[in-house]
Amino acid sequence: MTETQVAIVGAGPAGLVLARLLKRRGVEAVVLELRSRDYVEGRVRAGVLEQRTVDLLDEAGVAERLHREGMVHQGVELRFGGRSHRIDLSGLTGGRKITVYGQQEVVKDLIAARLESGLPLHFEVSDVTVADVESERPAVRFTHEGSEVELRCDVIAGCDGFHGICRPAIASALRVFEREYPFAWLGILANAKPSSEELIYANHANGFALHSMRSPEVIRSYLQCRPDEDLDEWPDERVWEELQTRFELDEGFSLNEGEIFDKGVTPMRSFVVEPMQHGRLFLAGDAAHIVPPTGAKGLNLAVADVEVLASALESFYGSGDTAGLDAYSEQCLRRVWRVQHFSSWMTSMLHRPPGQDPFEAKLQLSQLEYVCSSHAASTTLAENYVGLERV
Ligand code: APR
Ligand code: PHB
């Protein structure tokens, strides 16, 4: 048997940021990850960081490369009806900004920092189970390098994503709220220069499209597709043709094309469990909630959860005060639902559901025009997009 204070299941953004924040607060933790380091570092995901996320990574001392390579953006573009409309994020929010930096880069920086600190982070563990979560001494059991290990702790942080084992272990104490969408995103990475300085969210008769980037030489783009879309039906030429169509402008527009080196389908789902805790097991990030990627909130929300959890644990170990831990779920869920609303609103405003009725199509267009012309409506988009400071 081994022991620690906090056992963290999962080395995604939630688990790794939590481990880092706990180290800074003098709380001991062990991080357990099912996959290999290469696998975790190679997973392609979203790439927009809210300013508060950047500030937190700064405070955690893991933002050096982010500041060097991340691209600071002060606005985004909405494109529909052959016209482009800029939302001045900074102007509408008192100077707040977003940073475009791949989530997998954040994960690489966090893993490097953890390994450099010499603190425990075990990859490729298997047979992970949790036990005694209703007691004051729960355990995580797993197999590592051929040995069976029992890790006793005070608290388990379930940061093992949507398909992890922590949420199912307490399923009978949870209520699920969810919505599936009748579409998905086909995402590509390509060696091409961005065709715009800012992100472009397009609503076109053929469906939604997004133009994003990873560096001055690499773009990330998405196309609305079917949830069961067969990638074999999407040779590169078809991807480019469809992207060109969905980003077209009356005044003319051409996307820079290049070699596509990654292609995949991302499902779209809204999902929340309540509460986000049971006994001494606390869920954080995708283990507790999923948002559709339209507002790029997944990572930001995961980081917001573990910020709350780290503070609660600091008080718990500092003074024995459990008030923060007791209020964890309630405090997180306020932000979770705000972000759920925003992500679902952005999704419904920008996508064309199959068989969309003409009335809905007109409402959608009216909504888009209002968001782009009204100061109040564009401020609503902007302040949620850059991330609300307090919820
Ligand atoms: N034991 C240990 N680790 C596990 C287990 C398990 N049984 N099951 C899953 N994991 C690992 C996964 O391999 C993954 O590395 O937990 C990690 C969870 O990481 P993420 O799925 O990235 O979730 P999270 O850290 O909450 O980050 C949320 O990631 O999926 C994106 O859009 C999402 O941006 C959001 C962010
Ligand atoms: C991305 O760059 O991957 C990205 C950007 C904005 C989104 C979603 C994903 O809304």
Side-chain angles (χ1 to χ4, degrees), residues 10 12-14 33-35 43 45 103 128 159-160 285-286 298-299:
E33 168 59 48
L34 201 59
R35 305 289 191 154
R43 240 176 336 207
R45 299 238 175 112
Q103 175 179 330
V128 183
C159 302
D160 50 348
D286 279 13
L299 178 140

Side-chain angles (χ1 to χ4, degrees), residues 93-109:
T93 60
R96 298 170 68 74
K97 303 179 275 280
I98 53 159
T99 302
V100 178
Y101 186 67
Q103 175 179 330
Q104 78 202 88
E105 305 307 316
V106 175
V107 166
K108 283 181 202 164
D109 297 342

Side-chain angles (χ1 to χ4, degrees), residues 288-342:
H289 41 72
I290 297 281
V291 286
T294 323
K297 291 295 178 197
L299 178 140
N300 296 291
L301 200 50
V303 168
D305 288 347
V306 297
E307 188 179 7
V308 174
L309 188 53
S311 300
L313 287 166
E314 183 179 21
S315 309
F316 175 65
Y317 284 109
S319 60
D321 182 4
T322 62
L325 285 176
D326 295 342
Y328 169 73
S329 177
E330 201 188 318
Q331 198 178 336
C332 289
L333 283 167
R334 277 199 294 275
R335 177 177 295 276
V336 168
W337 281 111
R338 172 87 305 278
V339 170
Q340 286 288 353
H341 177 270
F342 175 67

Side-chain angles (χ1 to χ4, degrees), residues 62-115:
V62 286
E64 195 250 330
R65 190 164 70 98
L66 187 164
H67 286 303
R68 224 174 337 115
E69 298 178 14
M71 292 166 284
V72 174
H73 287 196
Q74 303 197 321
V76 290
E77 183 185 325
L78 297 185
R79 193 172 283 200
F80 55 93
R83 309 252 309 268
S84 106
H85 310 260
R86 179 168 190 264
I87 304 288
D88 180 4
L89 297 175
S90 294
L92 291 162
T93 60
R96 298 170 68 74
K97 303 179 275 280
I98 53 159
T99 302
V100 178
Y101 186 67
Q103 175 179 330
Q104 78 202 88
E105 305 307 316
V106 175
V107 166
K108 283 181 202 164
D109 297 342
L110 287 161
I111 290 176
R114 180 77 185 170
L115 296 177

Side-chain angles (χ1 to χ4, degrees), residues 175-193:
R175 180 162 176 209
V176 174
F177 300 82
E178 70 184 314
R179 171 171 298 175
E180 293 220 8
Y181 296 86
F183 38 74
W185 282 9
L186 191 165
I188 60 146
L189 281 166
N191 289 315
K193 290 193 196 307

Side-chain angles (χ1 to χ4, degrees), residues 218-370:
V218 173
I219 61 146
R220 175 83 170 144
S221 263
Y222 300 94
L223 285 168
Q224 176 186 339
C225 64
R226 295 192 319 267
D228 61 350
E229 197 76 46
D230 180 1
L231 282 179
D232 290 342
E233 290 173 18
W234 286 90
D236 296 359
E237 309 75 66
R238 182 173 173 211
V239 172
W240 288 120
E241 197 179 283
E242 193 58 32
L243 285 170
Q244 296 287 7
T245 301
R246 295 191 195 184
F247 288 113
E248 70 198 356
L249 286 176
D250 291 347
E251 65 190 39
F253 179 80
S254 173
L255 277 178
N256 300 325
E257 300 186 6
E259 178 213 357
I260 296 179
F261 60 90
D262 187 273
K263 207 185 275 173
V265 174
T266 310
M268 311 268 283
R269 180 187 278 123
S270 299
F271 178 95
V272 183
V273 288
E274 291 195 6
M276 288 168 57
Q277 66 196 85
H278 180 67
R280 287 290 182 91
L281 173 56
F282 295 80
L283 302 174
D286 279 13
H289 41 72
I290 297 281
V291 286
T294 323
K297 291 295 178 197
L299 178 140
N300 296 291
L301 200 50
V303 168
D305 288 347
V306 297
E307 188 179 7
V308 174
L309 188 53
S311 300
L313 287 166
E314 183 179 21
S315 309
F316 175 65
Y317 284 109
S319 60
D321 182 4
T322 62
L325 285 176
D326 295 342
Y328 169 73
S329 177
E330 201 188 318
Q331 198 178 336
C332 289
L333 283 167
R334 277 199 294 275
R335 177 177 295 276
V336 168
W337 281 111
R338 172 87 305 278
V339 170
Q340 286 288 353
H341 177 270
F342 175 67
S343 305
S344 141
W345 174 68
M346 286 283 278
T347 301
S348 63
M349 180 167 69
L350 290 163
H351 291 72
R352 300 289 181 116
Q356 183 183 43
D357 80 62
F359 192 85
E360 275 302 325
K362 288 285 187 190
L363 291 182
Q364 197 179 47
L365 187 60
S366 168
Q367 173 75 37
L368 279 164
E369 281 170 351
Y370 181 55

